[in-house]
Amino acid sequence: MAQTNKSRIEAAIKRLRKYNQEHVLQFIDEISPEQKLLLLADVEALDMDMIQELIDQYVVNEPVMELPHEIVPPEVYPAIPTSELKDRYCKARELGERLIAEHKVAAFTVAGGMGTRLNFNGPKGNVPATPVRSKTLFQVFAEGILANQRRYNSIIPWYIMTSPANHDDTVAAFKNNGYFGLDPDNVKLFPQGMMPCFSMDGKILLAEKYEIAKSPDGHGGSLRALYNSGSLEDMARRGVEYISYFQIDNPLVYVVDPLFIGLHALDNAEMSSKAVIKCDPLEKVGNFAIVDGRMTVIEYSDLPDELAYKKLDNGRLAFEFGSIAIHVISRDFVNRINSRGFSLPWHRAIKKVPYIDSSGNLVKPEKTNAIKLETFVFDGLPLAEGSIVFEIDRDEQFGPIKNAQGVDSIESSQRLQIARAARWLQEAGVAIPRNQAGEPDLMIEISPCFALDPHELTHKKSQLRPLKSGDIVYLG
């Protein structure tokens, strides 16, 4: 065993020296045998050819951004179809429902976050999110999948990208809760990829004498992780062709949306997006645009004010549609952007990163000292050969939980959940008691297993009772 480790160390030193990174092993003689194994595993996992290329392009040199020649608003499928689009929407819904029934659709959740910003100790997916039963986000989505499987007599495999920080706790949450009623064979959990952190001159930093400093490779890395984890191969074996992508923090999301999937498929798109009308011109969401002929999301911080405030002849904002990180992605597209090396562009972020200096001391910098590299999932859009944008009703499908208080908090999300449940019940003919502000004056929670939409709720009208102010109602 000692000889084997010696050979591994020699090979690692030789490999690192080729790229002028041999300092990574400078403390190898000082650390324990167990720590040696940890460090060697870190080093052996590095794709040094790719890392050297990224150092040259993004670390020691700041990439030059080419200014686009043309930025124009995209065409968007409206939330409510025009008379000209009604037939297409009907065909799209029928197609989407058939694709789900034929087991051609999978759900994919990006769930690498921790609940730290919510004052919650654990994976964000374990945060109690619903207003009556305090169901976790994981349970909400699992029930959505179960309900759709029942509706379409289908199997919808669920792929969940965790992070190294929360993977074990996430796996434990699923095991301890019986996979929330799902077949464990149809739930695949895998961790996000990590990237080394670099000094400003391109050296790989150490977090400990035995550990490389690393950071997640961004939500765009979810598409790389699908490929590297074998999940894409698993999809192919199952016959899955379409991936319903959403992030962990939105309990109002439709885990699969037949209309959206059908529109994507009808247009032979490779990656498509849902959009909401922005609250104001400078709302902190990405902006959909056609940039030099390709569908693109422009970060709010990168969109010039003159474009953010630009209006069309009808008085509406030219760039009024914001990205909410809900996509349908074709499996073949994910395979294509990975099969010859990961195609998404990298972005550099200058951060404060604690590190071990050459004397073996831990340094906690007071100012920025390092480069982190990450990718963004929406950067896949310009690479897609076809892409649609589908407008949704914000109040119906978007109630994110990002902050402990205020906007996009658990409290604000639960208000939106209650408001949606009240609208559905009202459409089903149930009178809703309201306060002076016009808001529902009761607490309501509707499980996806009871109803996935108002239409299904209407068919269960006989199970609904009259409501009064102050009621606490759970339909499950």
Side-chain angles (χ1 to χ4, degrees):
M1 181 66 73
Q3 185 60 39
T4 301
N5 286 344
K6 182 179 179 182
S7 299
R8 288 177 66 188
I9 291 169
E10 289 173 352
I13 291 173
K14 182 178 179 181
R15 184 160 167 259
L16 290 169
R17 185 174 291 136
K18 177 182 175 182
Y19 298 93
N20 199 26
Q21 298 283 359
E22 62 268 30
H23 67 281
V24 171
L25 295 178
Q26 64 185 307
F27 304 111
I28 195 72
D29 294 329
E30 302 177 21
I31 57 181
S32 70
E34 293 78 13
Q35 292 171 339
K36 283 183 173 69
L37 293 176
L38 293 173
L39 183 56
L40 286 171
D42 264 3
V43 171
E44 290 164 356
L46 297 174
D47 182 341
M48 289 305 302
D49 287 337
M50 181 187 78
I51 286 172
Q52 186 59 55
E53 186 177 334
L54 294 177
I55 289 170
D56 293 340
Q57 290 186 25
Y58 297 98
V59 180
V60 296
N61 296 298
E62 186 169 355
V64 177
M65 299 295 294
E66 292 186 13
L67 294 176
H69 295 95
E70 181 184 52
I71 303 177
V72 296
E75 291 187 10
V76 175
Y77 278 112
I80 300 174
T82 60
S83 56
E84 295 83 3
L85 286 173
K86 282 185 178 179
D87 284 346
R88 188 166 188 82
Y89 277 42
C90 286
K91 289 178 183 176
R93 182 177 292 280
E94 289 174 1
L95 174 57
E97 289 178 340
R98 186 170 77 248
L99 291 170
I100 297 169
E102 292 174 351
H103 319 292
K104 295 184 183 298
V105 178
F108 178 33
T109 307
V110 174
M114 298 292 285
T116 310
R117 289 179 62 183
L118 307 174
N119 300 319
F120 179 82
N121 184 25
K124 186 180 281 190
N126 280 346
V127 168
T130 63
V132 176
R133 291 292 178 88
S134 296
K135 294 176 185 175
T136 67
L137 289 160
F138 284 136
Q139 184 172 353
V140 171
F141 302 143
E143 290 184 5
I145 291 170
L146 281 167
N148 276 283
Q149 288 184 154
R150 272 207 305 267
R151 173 178 283 190
Y152 298 107
N153 190 26
S154 178
I155 293 173
I156 301 171
W158 189 13
Y159 300 85
I160 302 165
M161 188 186 78
T162 64
S163 65
N166 77 8
H167 181 76
D168 291 344
D169 286 341
T170 300
V171 171
F174 275 79
K175 288 182 177 178
N176 294 339
N177 289 280
Y179 284 76
F180 304 102
L182 294 168
D183 184 340
D185 288 341
N186 298 326
V187 180
K188 308 294 181 183
L189 299 110
F190 53 92
Q192 179 172 18
M194 303 291 283
M195 285 294 293
C197 300
F198 304 95
S199 65
M200 305 302 284
D201 60 356
K203 298 295 186 183
I204 295 172
L205 295 175
L206 290 174
E208 301 283 354
K209 291 181 178 181
Y210 55 88
E211 181 185 6
I212 289 173
K214 298 181 287 289
S215 63
D217 59 4
H219 47 72
S222 61
L223 304 185
R224 189 164 73 126
L226 273 179
Y227 185 87
N228 291 339
S229 67
S231 296
L232 215 59
E233 290 180 6
D234 185 71
M235 289 182 186
R237 284 193 298 271
R238 294 170 178 268
V240 168
E241 296 179 7
Y242 302 97
I243 303 167
S244 177
Y245 171 105
F246 54 95
Q247 296 183 351
I248 190 64
D249 55 15
N250 180 16
L252 291 184
V253 72
Y254 293 0
V255 293
V256 292
D257 183 344
L259 176 56
F260 183 32
I261 293 164
L263 289 170
H264 171 92
L266 274 183
D267 279 25
N268 295 312
E270 288 191 316
M271 181 173 179
S272 298
S273 312
K274 284 188 173 180
V276 295
I277 294 178
K278 296 190 298 183
C279 294
D280 60 73
L282 301 181
E283 184 180 358
K284 293 181 178 181
V285 292
N287 298 268
F288 287 105
I290 302 296
V291 177
D292 294 340
R294 311 295 293 187
M295 184 68 72
T296 305
V297 168
I298 302 175
E299 284 274 57
Y300 64 89
S301 54
D302 294 331
L303 187 71
D305 282 359
E306 62 185 271
L307 292 182
Y309 285 98
K310 182 180 179 180
K311 292 192 175 181
L312 303 174
D313 292 340
N314 61 10
R316 295 176 64 167
L317 291 174
F319 298 94
E320 68 176 347
F321 290 104
S323 172
I324 51 173
I326 302 174
H327 303 282
V328 170
I329 308 171
S330 297
R331 175 179 57 80
D332 285 346
F333 174 64
V334 182
N335 188 66
R336 178 162 64 80
I337 64 172
N338 279 283
S339 57
R340 296 183 181 178
F342 193 51
S343 302
L344 294 193
W346 292 85
H347 299 262
R348 78 194 307 255
I350 303 175
K351 300 287 186 178
K352 288 193 292 186
V353 175
Y355 67 99
I356 301 295
D357 66 15
S358 58
S359 301
N361 299 313
L362 176 63
V363 178
K364 295 183 178 180
E366 295 182 358
K367 58 183 181 179
T368 54
N369 66 307
I371 302 290
K372 293 182 178 181
L373 297 178
E374 59 184 350
T375 57
F376 302 147
V377 71
F378 54 70
D379 279 335
L381 293 170
L383 304 178
E385 290 306 316
S387 179
I388 67 162
V389 177
F390 177 41
E391 177 196 353
I392 60 168
D393 180 342
R394 187 183 193 119
D395 291 339
E396 176 71 14
Q397 298 186 44
F398 190 54
I401 297 173
K402 298 178 183 292
N403 305 311
Q405 297 178 327
V407 177
D408 294 344
S409 62
I410 293 176
E411 182 183 357
S412 68
S413 177
Q414 289 181 349
R415 283 201 304 271
L416 289 168
Q417 292 174 58
I418 291 169
R420 184 175 80 170
R423 284 196 305 275
W424 288 14
L425 285 165
Q426 195 159 309
E427 285 185 45
V430 178
I432 302 296
R434 297 184 180 273
N435 59 25
Q436 290 184 339
E439 298 170 337
D441 193 25
L442 73 171
M443 293 179 66
I444 321 169
E445 181 180 326
I446 302 175
S447 166
C449 292
F450 188 83
L452 278 168
D453 51 44
H455 180 72
E456 187 174 3
L457 198 59
T458 300
H459 286 283
K460 296 185 175 181
K461 189 173 180 180
S462 62
Q463 300 178 45
L464 306 177
R465 62 175 177 80
L467 302 174
K468 62 182 185 300
S469 292
D471 277 350
I472 298 176
V473 180
Y474 175 74
L475 300 175

